[in-house]
Amino acid sequence: MVEEIRKKLHELSEEDYKTFNQKLLPGVEHVLGVRLPAMRKLAKEVAKGDFRSYLDEAAEKIGADSIHEEIMLQGLVLGYAKMDREERTEYLEEFVPKITNWAVCDSCVNSYKFMQKDPDYWFDYLKKYQK
């Protein structure tokens, strides 16, 4: 499934946006240049389908040094998919170490509306990342 998604990301990439985005992401080597609205749309599609298979495969195949958009997509799917708190926590444990730049952090966290439903739990959860 990750390979399928990778192909879609390549199809959605724009060379001029890649050049622009690279200037905003110093130190990030692998950028395709996919605009955020397209990323969000793709993430919502994945989240409505077999998102568990995607997230499990992404956990194995997508690392912190992978393509920027692949990492971001994984985080976005985590925000859009419907799952219980315990399952989401497990997926977040695997994903959070891959957040190595402001764009992944800001874009993904912006989609984490689930935190509004249980703010005390998520605030306590996030405290461990404070340092």
Side-chain angles (χ1 to χ4, degrees), residues 6 28 30 61-71:
R6 186 173 289 147
V28 178
H30 309 292
K61 294 185 176 182
I62 299 173
D65 62 343
S66 293
I67 296 170
H68 169 72
E69 287 85 353
E70 287 183 312
I71 297 167

Side-chain angles (χ1 to χ4, degrees), residues 18-90:
K18 173 184 176 178
T19 303
F20 169 75
N21 222 2
Q22 285 175 316
K23 293 176 185 174
L24 299 175
L25 300 168
V28 178
E29 294 183 31
H30 309 292
V31 178
L32 293 176
V34 180
R35 294 180 185 271
L36 190 55
M39 296 283 299
R40 289 191 189 287
K41 182 179 178 188
L42 181 56
K44 287 175 183 178
E45 289 172 16
V46 173
K48 287 179 183 176
D50 187 8
F51 68 86
R52 288 178 181 88
S53 291
Y54 167 74
L55 291 173
D56 291 341
E57 191 177 337
E60 294 175 20
K61 294 185 176 182
I62 299 173
D65 62 343
S66 293
I67 296 170
H68 169 72
E69 287 85 353
E70 287 183 312
I71 297 167
M72 187 178 295
L73 188 73
Q74 184 182 0
L76 290 170
V77 170
L78 275 168
Y80 294 132
K82 296 192 185 310
M83 62 183 93
D84 65 31
R85 181 175 79 182
E86 288 71 27
E87 183 179 18
R88 194 175 314 273
T89 301
E90 288 178 31

